Amino acid sequence: MKKYVIGMDLGGSSCKLGIFTDQGELLASWKVATKKREDSSAILGNIADSLKVQLRKMGIDHEEVLGAGMGIPGVVRKNGNSCTCVNLGWIDKNVKTEMERYLNLPVAILNDANAAALGELWAGSGKGVSSLVLFTLGTGVGGGIILNGEPVSGAFGAGGEVGHLTVSSEEKNVCGCGRYGCLEQYVSATGIVHTMKKRIQSDKGKGKGFCEKEYTAKDVFDAARDKDPTALEVVEFTGEMLGKAMANISSIVDPELYLIGGGVSEAGDILLNSVTKYFYQHVLSMSSDARVRLASLGNEAGIYGAARSVLTNG
Amino acid sequence: MKKYVIGMDLGGSSCKLGIFTDQGELLASWKVATKKREDSSAILGNIADSLKVQLRKMGIDHEEVLGAGMGIPGVVRKNGNSCTCVNLGWIDKNVKTEMERYLNLPVAILNDANAAALGELWAGSGKGVSSLVLFTLGTGVGGGIILNGEPVSGAFGAGGEVGHLTVSSEEKNVCGCGRYGCLEQYVSATGIVHTMKKRIQSDKGKGKGFCEKEYTAKDVFDAARDKDPTALEVVEFTGEMLGKAMANISSIVDPELYLIGGGVSEAGDILLNSVTKYFYQHVLSMSSDARVRLASLGNEAGIYGAARSVLTNG
């Protein structure tokens, strides 16, 4: 009998779904639009219906499916029996039991960033290691930590909230979390643009071409590749903030591998080289064999990891 | 048949030993002097001999002993098959296999600070929780992290090296690890005295009674209790450094409980209150149910945890 696992990655406007073999091969993936906030309790039912249709289409029997995993954009407590997703209007919702009823399968619920980290470990840049820390650099900064092959979800669901490490005591702007000086304020796409704007304001005459128009983090990296001195400084600063944060994480959980993912990571080597330089400068010598790489699964990391969470360790 | 476990806590000049029931009751504890550096390979044999004598004295059969755990003051890799303790002259020594040969029992090797954390979880202030972070504030700062009931040793043996979190970018003095601005430089006994000296130098006329003589961290806490303004500032600063570091650790591993142990923790509530204030000010709101307490097993935490490490989880 063949064995399959299902991975789901729930977002604010859609849910990605994937059907995998238990060896990590992705056989099919698609998206289901999620209804608006007021219909939030119907979201899970729609997803389940779509899954059943797809399984039937592929000729997969219910008995061949080991279970389903779902990454959700919020706080998961009590193994998924209490989920809070502000964007979906869920407060303390029992997603696990509800989804198990719809699917008649064992369901594992985990935070979406932890799912992405687990996915990279199973089938991406983290294949072959048993511990890693993933930074997802997007509009904000998400993160996931895997130790001994399992995500660190934390006693209160804050495990792997590496975007909210306090890295500066001098920040005047407030972070989305209500605190000041979070890593997210510097190494997210938004943070990188903000750093660039500040540098241009303080360095009159530099950063030419940036003063007049709106720009993105990608523009900053492109300008750095073209040797724009202000943009080069911003890339250095971004690498320093992230590299130093990684060095501190090594003194806590000491992973084998760091992965950089999310839209910002498309900058590639120019970012990776800067981060790596500061990481090795600052990490405790005993952890200097840790490696830093780019993540490889992109937006699919979440469904991979959700599917992987169904399987027991090993 | 009764079941026993053995705990050993190896230090630079002696090894503490304990015989426990598998329920965590300490039946006997004693010390064995460890030989000088040049005899380092004989240390383990002497300890094993002492253990056998004690077991015979107590009428415990070899079959009744489930195994032995040993905390060592150094880096443990490969489950104890590679141990490096600079103070004992051990580089990449296979302590596990050697000790198993001497004792003819399964032996678990772990870092001594991780052992102390596990001991507090089993039988001390951490009883009943499944995750905690212990700070051992002594001449230096050690630490241990327990998640899901198991120590986080790290891929390279640096798991729980919380004393070497970089917490200041302005430090001019070098830490023992070769880096600058480590937590240990502020919240160890040495660090607290150093902070006091710096404050007295910069605040002429304050800190009376401190200028003339050598003093200890205990003297600083005693003076703070007597409302010495400089000493009160130092206690605030110490609490701020430790409380903020804890807040950052919550964004990584998010434990249920923080414990403060080691000689400095004998300061008691004046220290705990200061740390707690800054921790709750800075921690991510989702982790604000985490608690902060004093450790309770003192110097015996290590033998408790070493013994506990023999038992499988649960």
Side-chain angles (χ1 to χ4, degrees), chain A residues 75 77 131 145 147-148 151-167 169-170 177 179 182 244 247-257 281-291, chain B residues 75 77 131 145 147-148 151-167 169-170 177 179 182 244 247-257 281-291:
Chain A
V75 179
R77 292 195 190 196
S131 60
I145 299 175
L147 299 179
N148 296 320
V152 174
S153 49
F156 310 105
E161 284 289 345
V162 292
H164 296 290
L165 282 172
T166 305
V167 295
S169 55
E170 287 153 28
C177 72
R179 294 144 73 240
C182 290
K244 284 180 171 178
N248 263 351
I249 292 172
S250 281
S251 299
I252 300 173
V253 293
D254 190 28
E256 282 171 83
L257 180 64
Q281 265 178 28
H282 288 91
V283 72
L284 209 53
S285 65
M286 61 202 281
S287 298
S288 57
D289 286 338
R291 287 157 300 155
Chain B
V75 179
R77 293 195 189 194
S131 61
I145 299 176
L147 300 179
N148 296 322
V152 174
S153 49
F156 310 104
E161 284 289 345
V162 291
H164 296 290
L165 282 170
T166 305
V167 295
S169 55
E170 289 154 26
C177 72
R179 294 145 73 241
C182 290
K244 284 179 169 178
N248 263 352
I249 293 172
S250 281
S251 298
I252 301 172
V253 293
D254 189 29
E256 283 172 79
L257 179 65
Q281 266 177 26
H282 289 90
V283 73
L284 208 53
S285 64
M286 62 203 282
S287 299
S288 58
D289 286 340
R291 288 158 297 155

Side-chain angles (χ1 to χ4, degrees), chain A residues 21 239 276:
Chain A
T21 67
T276 306

Side-chain angles (χ1 to χ4, degrees), chain B residues 8-15 17 32-50 70 72-73 85 87-90 93 95 98-99 102:
Chain B
M8 302 175 274
D9 185 11
L10 187 60
S13 59
S14 68
C15 181
L17 293 104
V32 176
T34 49
K35 296 277 174 77
K36 285 201 197 90
R37 189 168 171 142
E38 49 267 41
D39 301 301
S40 72
S41 61
I43 289 177
L44 299 177
N46 288 337
I47 294 168
D49 290 343
S50 174
M70 178 180 265
I72 67 162
C85 304
N87 290 341
L88 295 165
W90 293 352
K93 186 179 174 77
V95 177
E98 191 170 334
M99 206 61 193
Y102 288 133

